[in-house]
Amino acid sequence: MRTRITELFGIEHPIIQGGMHFVGFAEMAAAVSNAGGLGIITGLTQGTPEKLAAEIKRCQDMTDKPFGVNLTFLPSVTPPDYPGLVDAIVQSGVKAVETAGNNPAQWLPTLKEAGIKVIHKCTSVRHSLKAESIGCDAVSVDGFECGGHPGEDDIPNFILLPRAAEELKIPFVASGGMADGRSLVAAMALGAEGMNMGTRFIATKEAPVHENVKQALIEASELDTRLIMRPLRNTERVLNNDAVERLLQKEQELGDKLSFADIAEEVAGVYPKIMKDGDMDAGGWSCGMVAGLIHDVPTCQELMDRIMGEAEEIIAKRLQTFRAA
């Protein structure tokens, strides 16, 4: 399947693995890339430029296919060493970067000069147009269904994707609710040229997370995510658990007096406890509504082959049955 996304990143299938905290290690990225997609190492999970450079090298030892690095730009009292992280990416020879969070304009000249293609995650048409205007090569359009931060507009992909197609000239992928061949065909029908999968890739054999996490995704339905931190306008979609219930109770009781400090216990530094140790009630962790479509834990190759086979069958067979004779 050839689209502007496959051409841009030099990949076989128009499927990108989202950058996920404490999931996007070399094992994950290499498995997705070896299966024909674009694997992504999560930069901030590595923490330092030296550790990121080492993780990129590990991935290069596992695959000779293209892969990228996610850099999320967040406001912080003590921000990460972004100049060092960018330099590590450039020096490593990686040719794809997924940016997220704040406007990446400051870093684009350095990345573009190194021949790196940049895809920016956006939750609205206006942000997508801004990404286009500053020189991003593509955007990932994240609908309200997505795990992590869906923005504050609450626009689902059935509206957001065709609106993006009406406005954008650069290619974009659909993110949020993406799980299978049906997702891919639907996204492309709505104007996308590929899809970004996060939560679905966590439930794969190669995902370097605790088995409890994978089992939680299999057991979850589409009704089991919650939106937290809405009062702080930092909305995050997470899988429900005891800690999330406590957090939501605090939000309700404190109302407009809520501060981040009030909920820090449920959200700060919880990812190692969940992803590494399997403590599923340690806090809130990003998870999309797509959990309702996850029923097994295949290898990345099995998942990718299934998606592409299903997509091709839908296009060639099922859709054809609706054509008038």
Side-chain angles (χ1 to χ4, degrees), residues 66-130:
F67 66 90
V69 174
N70 167 278
L71 269 185
T72 299
F73 299 106
L74 300 172
S76 174
V77 176
T78 54
D81 181 6
Y82 285 120
L85 293 170
V86 169
D87 186 61
I89 292 168
V90 170
Q91 295 302 319
S92 73
V94 165
K95 293 304 180 185
V97 165
E98 176 193 61
T99 55
N102 290 345
N103 189 323
Q106 176 183 351
W107 311 102
L108 284 182
T110 301
L111 295 172
K112 300 300 281 291
E113 187 177 332
I116 295 171
K117 303 299 184 184
V118 177
I119 180 168
H120 187 59
K121 292 177 71 69
C122 303
T123 60
S124 69
V125 174
R126 64 186 181 280
H127 292 152
S128 299
L129 287 169
K130 183 64 175 179

Side-chain angles (χ1 to χ4, degrees), residues 4-42:
R4 285 192 290 169
I5 289 295
T6 63
E7 296 295 307
L8 183 66
F9 295 111
I11 54 179
E12 183 180 358
H13 306 310
I15 299 174
I16 298 174
Q17 168 236 319
M20 297 171 284
H21 204 32
F22 278 87
V23 181
F25 292 98
E27 295 89 343
M28 182 84 266
V32 173
S33 291
N34 283 332
L38 184 69
I40 300 288
I41 291 172
T42 308

Side-chain angles (χ1 to χ4, degrees), residues 80-198:
D81 181 6
Y82 285 120
L85 293 170
V86 169
D87 186 61
I89 292 168
V90 170
Q91 295 302 319
S92 73
V94 165
K95 293 304 180 185
V97 165
E98 176 193 61
T99 55
N102 290 345
N103 189 323
Q106 176 183 351
W107 311 102
L108 284 182
T110 301
L111 295 172
K112 300 300 281 291
E113 187 177 332
I116 295 171
K117 303 299 184 184
V118 177
I119 180 168
H120 187 59
K121 292 177 71 69
C122 303
T123 60
S124 69
V125 174
R126 64 186 181 280
H127 292 152
S128 299
L129 287 169
K130 183 64 175 179
E132 180 179 79
S133 73
I134 64 175
C136 291
D137 299 284
V139 291
S140 173
V141 177
D142 288 27
F144 187 53
E145 306 94 328
C146 73
H149 298 278
E152 307 300 325
D153 295 339
D154 300 0
I155 308 298
N157 270 329
F158 243 69
I159 306 301
L160 190 58
L161 297 179
R163 278 291 296 121
E166 289 178 350
E167 302 283 351
L168 291 171
K169 296 181 179 65
I170 59 174
F172 66 93
V173 297
S175 183
M178 303 292 113
D180 52 32
R182 297 170 298 182
S183 310
L184 180 57
V185 174
M188 296 179 76
L190 293 172
E193 298 198 36
M195 67 180 181
N196 177 299
M197 295 198 308

